[in-house]
Amino acid sequence: MLTYGNLTLHSLLKKQTERYPDKEFIVFKDESITYREFLNRTEKMAGWLMERGIGKGDTVAAFLSNSPLFYETWFSCAAIGAILLPINTASTPSELDYFLSHSDSRGLIYEGQLVNEQHLMAAEEQSLLFIQKDEENWIKEKEKCQFTPSGEPVYPEDVACIMYTSGTTAKPKGVLITHENYLFAGHSSVLYQQLTSEDRYLIFLPLFHANSQYYTSMAMLAAGGTIILLERFKSSTFWDDVKRYRPTVSSLVATIIKMLLECPDHPADKEHTLRKAGYGLFVTYQDLVKFQERFGIKLYQWYGMTESITTNIVTPLHEEMITDSASGIVPIGKPGLGHEVKIIRENGEEAMLGEVGEIIIKSPSLMKGYYKNPEATAKTLQNGYLHTGDKGYYNEEGFIWFVDRNKDMIKRAGENISSIEVENVLSNHAAVQECAVVGEPDSLREEIVVAYIRCSEGKEVSSNELYEFCKERLSYFKVPQEFRFVGDFPRTSIGKIQKNLLR
């Protein structure tokens, strides 16, 4: 039992509705939904699901973009003990087939504009109780339904969601997330981000992603705050949305920080309500300083995984921004309260200060496991620790630096090279807007270092210039042997560069 006793997603929603019945819970476009209205919608949809034969333990797939319907599906499943399966909206028909089949889904709710005939054919081949499109008639149908809890109680340790991680070398794994996991994520996020019921969280990253569920949506439910939901991020309308909806906090990624810095300066750059924003890897120190000075928004970094539930490593809001004196890279933060973070060597021994090793995490709330994959579960969860597969190191003050994903470390002639260190140097070149550094097989030296470069608009740079720039700032073996120029990069749903597709 953690911070919320025997509460579940549904019972916490009911509790907050009693406290804030007529307060805005979700704002989306011109629609404002109070806590009372959202609970009513959720329970009506729960009644509809039960009428279709969905019960405790059944999985319902949601192929939906950002909208109140996503939240209704999530919380209606939780009300009856069913399990949400959020599906990446970029999924192909074959990927949809895998998700539905592997998860043993019993129903599918989808958005018409996201699917084609092949998607529907893949769904129809499954043994589903229903395949429901988001349409006006369905809304009216749900309005007639009533929610009557079944005889099967829902417990905090029950699974509330199966969230599939992106697979780079194998099929995606389904992370089992419990009600207790979600509530802990919300509670810890409120503490780390110093949130209150007066906060209005601007969310535009995909709701099918852990970030928009754990750190933001659950934080607002836990605090009794308000969710400002956008369909997606648009740099051209971002500040208009901020002015219109008056958010106080948001969650960003590196790509968005860079895009906002690219926008022309405006006299009203600081005339807004946004006070702070969390972000994930990777932003240079120079860009962080520029962003905070230009927009007056406090940025704090966090580190977490779908499997680790919350942000286990966070930048304390009261701490000054520091960098590693050798690399110039900003740390990802310190272990969150109640979390134990170790850096270990390959033999399992703890690494010394400054020594690079694998980041492993012990937390009050980790995933329950991978669905139908006991081998992967046993490999990832060992002796109470989550083995992240990421490389990092500590300093004497307890700050942790992220060095690289284990799979992204480059091995050249016996030397281990952090792609992030090389990227940090390249990002400081005036002509480089964005870059990605990967290793490619080499018969002589194991791997060569290859840098993919996207130039800033209106600027050019040659491979020779970049080579000399890196040579002055990096050890000789870290300097890229090849520079490849691109118009853009393949990206994940939240804008991270997919390095596995570059190799």
Side-chain angles (χ1 to χ4, degrees), residues 62-65 87-93 96 100 108-123 131-134:
F63 201 166
L64 302 167
S65 59
I87 295 177
N88 188 317
T89 54
S91 296
T92 63
L96 175 63
L100 295 176
L108 170 65
I109 297 170
Y110 71 93
E111 193 172 320
Q113 63 180 6
L114 297 177
V115 305
N116 57 34
E117 189 176 339
Q118 286 71 38
H119 283 104
L120 293 177
M121 287 174 62
I131 300 173
Q132 181 60 57
K133 182 181 178 181
D134 64 330

Side-chain angles (χ1 to χ4, degrees), residues 148-220:
T148 304
S150 68
E152 288 191 89
V154 181
Y155 298 105
E157 62 269 22
D158 288 336
V159 174
C161 178
I162 301 176
M163 191 178 297
Y164 281 84
T165 60
S166 55
T168 55
T169 58
K171 287 286 189 182
K173 297 185 289 289
V175 178
L176 298 176
I177 304 163
T178 67
H179 289 257
E180 189 173 65
N181 287 153
Y182 272 127
L183 270 56
F184 181 80
H187 186 189
S188 56
S189 296
V190 168
L191 296 178
Y192 300 151
Q193 300 179 68
Q194 298 180 14
L195 303 173
T196 73
S197 60
E198 297 304 307
D199 276 303
R200 296 164 65 85
Y201 218 120
L202 181 64
I203 299 174
F204 45 77
L205 297 177
L207 287 175
F208 58 75
H209 192 272
N211 183 303
S212 290
Q213 292 188 27
Y214 293 164
Y215 320 145
T216 57
S217 298
M218 284 306 307
M220 285 297 90

